[in-house]
Amino acid sequence: MNAVASPSLEPSSPPPHALALPATTARQRVLAVGLVGPGRVGSALLDQLRTAQPRLARAGLDLALRGVAASRRMWLDTDDPELNGRDGGAQTWRPTDLDDFAAHLQGDGDRHALLVDCSASEAVASRYAQWLASGIHVVTPNKLAGSGPLPRLQAIRAACGGARFRYEATVCAGLPVVQTLRDLLDTGDELLAVEGMFSGTLAWLCHRHDGSRPFSALVREAHALGYTEPDPRDDLSGLDVARKLVILAREAGRPLSLEDVEVQSLVPPELAVLPREEALERLHLLDAPMARQVAHAQTRGSVLRHVASLDAKGHASVRLAMLPLSHPFAHTRLTDNVVQFTTHRYRDNPMLVQGPGAGPEVTAAGVFADLLRIAESLEVRR
């Protein structure tokens, strides 16, 4: 059995046949979709697909949900009348096996198949090259493929022949950051430097932290709002932001690895080693160091922002930066992500991409947009 080593939530009930469309016509493009990781982002994506289904059907696109795989169980749709009538039929869950899941999604090979990975699983990311080589398109917000071992990413890219790999939502949720960089490079521009606020969670915390409330209280509020990871230390460590910077650097042809990024964690060492539940109870350990930093910034008429940067010399860093009020990052709002590209064309006036960067809905929307870009390129199959 190939279990999905993922923190994704187990669904409380099997997904209904809400994505089953009427019989297709010769003019419709049919795309069999499988979802791995029905957690917050995956569930939001399923809701968006259901809502958009009638409009997409009128436009000639049939998105057929053929399976959902969680960490321990998976659900496979089937057109077999005998199986449909047995033990709850098509909505019977079984132990997760990624190989069986991919084979079922692809069917006998005469249909377009696309797998969406909304997990945060190494086990799933390690199969991308295999799936792409077999003709299955892959769309994901999972950052582990793009920021993990470079040979694995090179194998994934080499496997993209008839199938496509899209990962816009790995950086800044639904914002068109990867596509913007890709367009610049494809038209002959060259990336000189990139700087950005890549975490909607940390953007919100920096925006709200003015010294009037303890930083730990803001972290708890962000956690309650669903902005943070289940363990807020995953956001505060800066590692997730570093992964996004690596993805952008590699998109520009720079062989950056996670180990090359200088990361300043906001988590004190004594808090980093605690179990998650105990760490949540001791978030007050964040208060004193953060209070000192915000007070220092205020005395200089500056603001604190969590910034990732890759400079022209190739130095990569993730840190809490003190920025003057004249800096464009000083005027972001709420969970805004902002990315500044300095290129040969945009050397004197860098290009900015800015917008909301936290929450399952905006991340799911980025995944959905990638799915539609692939679907639009497909030919009609009877």
Side-chain angles (χ1 to χ4, degrees):
M1 180 187 301
N2 298 314
V4 184
S6 166
S8 300
L9 302 176
E10 293 279 3
S12 58
S13 61
H17 293 290
L19 297 185
L21 289 172
T24 61
T25 69
R27 296 175 61 85
Q28 281 187 306
R29 289 162 294 166
V30 181
L31 181 60
V33 178
L35 172 72
V36 177
R40 292 188 299 172
V41 173
S43 296
L45 176 63
L46 288 175
D47 288 341
Q48 291 175 12
L49 291 173
R50 292 186 186 103
T51 300
Q53 181 191 19
R55 173 179 55 81
L56 296 176
R58 290 191 296 270
L61 175 60
D62 175 0
L63 294 181
L65 184 66
R66 296 302 185 192
V68 176
S71 57
R72 297 180 180 85
R73 298 185 302 160
M74 67 180 184
W75 162 83
L76 303 180
D77 193 7
T78 177
D79 296 324
D80 188 322
E82 180 181 352
L83 292 178
N84 278 337
R86 184 191 307 159
D87 299 328
Q91 295 193 14
T92 297
W93 289 82
R94 62 199 75 184
T96 294
D97 184 303
L98 289 176
D99 293 332
D100 286 352
F101 187 81
H104 171 80
L105 179 64
Q106 198 164 27
D108 56 11
D110 65 345
R111 66 188 182 194
H112 299 294
L114 183 147
L115 196 148
V116 181
D117 173 24
C118 288
S119 74
S121 167
E122 284 279 2
V124 182
S126 67
R127 284 173 165 79
Y128 290 177
Q130 171 188 335
W131 291 334
L132 289 161
S134 70
I136 299 175
H137 306 284
V138 176
V139 172
T140 187
N142 185 347
K143 289 176 280 293
L144 297 181
S147 64
L150 190 56
R152 181 172 66 186
L153 179 60
Q154 292 168 337
I156 289 171
R157 289 174 172 170
C160 295
R164 298 173 64 188
F165 174 51
R166 293 196 64 98
Y167 43 93
E168 181 66 71
T170 58
V171 182
C172 301
L175 296 182
V177 173
V178 174
Q179 187 61 52
T180 297
L181 177 57
R182 186 74 263 153
D183 289 344
L184 290 170
L185 299 173
D186 288 346
T187 56
D189 207 347
E190 180 184 353
L191 181 69
L192 301 178
V194 60
E195 187 176 35
M197 294 168 55
F198 294 161
S199 168
T201 302
L202 289 165
W204 187 88
L205 289 170
C206 288
H207 177 75
R208 295 290 304 276
H209 187 40
D210 58 5
S212 62
R213 295 176 62 191
F215 188 72
S216 59
L218 295 173
V219 173
R220 289 191 174 92
E221 184 179 348
H223 188 261
L225 291 170
Y227 291 160
T228 73
E229 295 296 326
D231 188 338
R233 292 176 298 179
D234 293 340
D235 299 288
L236 299 171
S237 71
L239 184 59
D240 187 65
V241 170
R243 290 189 183 279
K244 298 173 185 179
L245 186 62
V246 167
I247 290 169
L248 289 181
R250 290 176 173 181
E251 194 71 20
R254 302 190 183 188
L256 192 72
S257 292
L258 202 57
E259 297 76 18
D260 301 323
V261 184
E262 181 184 335
V263 181
Q264 176 197 40
S265 175
L266 302 185
V267 183
E270 60 270 31
L271 188 63
V273 298
L274 297 177
R276 184 175 75 94
E277 293 305 320
E278 187 176 351
L280 289 173
E281 294 175 359
R282 302 188 66 186
L283 289 177
H284 62 272
L285 294 175
L286 299 166
D287 293 340
M290 289 302 297
R292 287 193 295 268
Q293 294 203 58
V294 75
H296 182 53
Q298 289 172 345
T299 60
R300 295 190 168 205
S302 302
V303 294
L304 293 178
R305 294 292 184 262
H306 194 264
V307 177
S309 64
L310 176 68
D311 65 22
K313 296 181 181 180
H315 177 253
S317 67
V318 173
R319 71 196 192 284
L320 193 63
M322 190 165 55
L323 302 177
L325 294 178
S326 59
H327 196 285
F329 294 0
H331 304 287
T332 55
R333 299 177 62 250
L334 300 177
T335 62
D336 272 5
N337 281 184
V338 56
V339 183
Q340 178 175 275
F341 292 120
T342 303
T343 70
H344 274 300
R345 291 182 192 144
Y346 295 91
R347 187 188 306 230
D348 299 326
N349 187 17
M351 176 184 287
L352 290 175
V353 180
Q354 181 174 343
E361 289 78 16
V362 293
T363 302
V367 175
F368 195 1
D370 271 350
L371 187 157
L372 291 178
R373 287 187 182 98
I374 291 177
E376 289 168 357
S377 70
L378 304 178
E379 77 275 9
V380 173
R381 291 183 179 175
R382 291 180 181 270

